Amino acid sequence: MIRIKLSDLLGKHKMTQKTLANLAHIRPATVSKMYYEETKRIDIKQLNNMCKVFNCEIAELLEYIPDDDKPRQNAKKK
C-alpha cells in the first residue's frame, strides 16, 4: 500500500489544502482526495509541484507500506 503523507506535510508547514492547491496548480478537489488518501492515481507533474512547494523529497510525501498478504509464488501468467 502507498500512503500519501499530505496531511503530515500540510500540518508541518501550517498550510491549508486551498493554499497548496493554488501554489501547486492542482484542483482543490484533487488535493482533498490526496489528503484523505482516497485518490487512485497521482500525476507525476502534481508530485513534482508539491515537492517544489514543500521543498521536500518524494519520500516525505509518499510512503510504501507492505501489504499483509504475500504475492503468490509461481502464479501463472496470462
Side-chain angles (χ1 to χ4, degrees):
M1 158 176 143
I2 303 295
R3 179 170 175 260
I4 304 169
K5 302 189 292 186
L6 184 56
S7 60
D8 298 344
L9 283 171
L10 287 172
K12 178 181 173 183
H13 291 270
K14 298 183 177 163
M15 186 182 297
T16 65
Q17 291 181 40
K18 183 176 180 178
T19 301
L20 174 61
N22 289 334
L23 293 173
H25 308 290
I26 301 172
R27 291 179 43 239
T30 302
V31 171
S32 179
K33 281 187 173 186
M34 286 186 229
Y35 181 87
Y36 291 106
E37 298 187 61
E38 296 171 345
T39 191
K40 302 248 187 262
R41 63 183 66 131
I42 303 174
D43 187 85
I44 296 292
K45 187 174 180 179
Q46 293 171 341
L47 289 172
N48 185 63
N49 290 350
M50 287 189 289
C51 286
K52 281 183 188 177
V53 169
F54 292 125
N55 191 29
C56 71
E57 296 291 324
I58 196 80
E60 294 176 64
L61 188 56
L62 301 175
E63 176 183 17
Y64 171 69
I65 301 170
D67 294 329
D68 290 337
D69 43 313
K70 298 179 183 194
R72 291 186 282 162
Q73 299 270 334
N74 301 322
K76 293 182 179 180
K77 294 182 182 180
K78 293 184 180 181

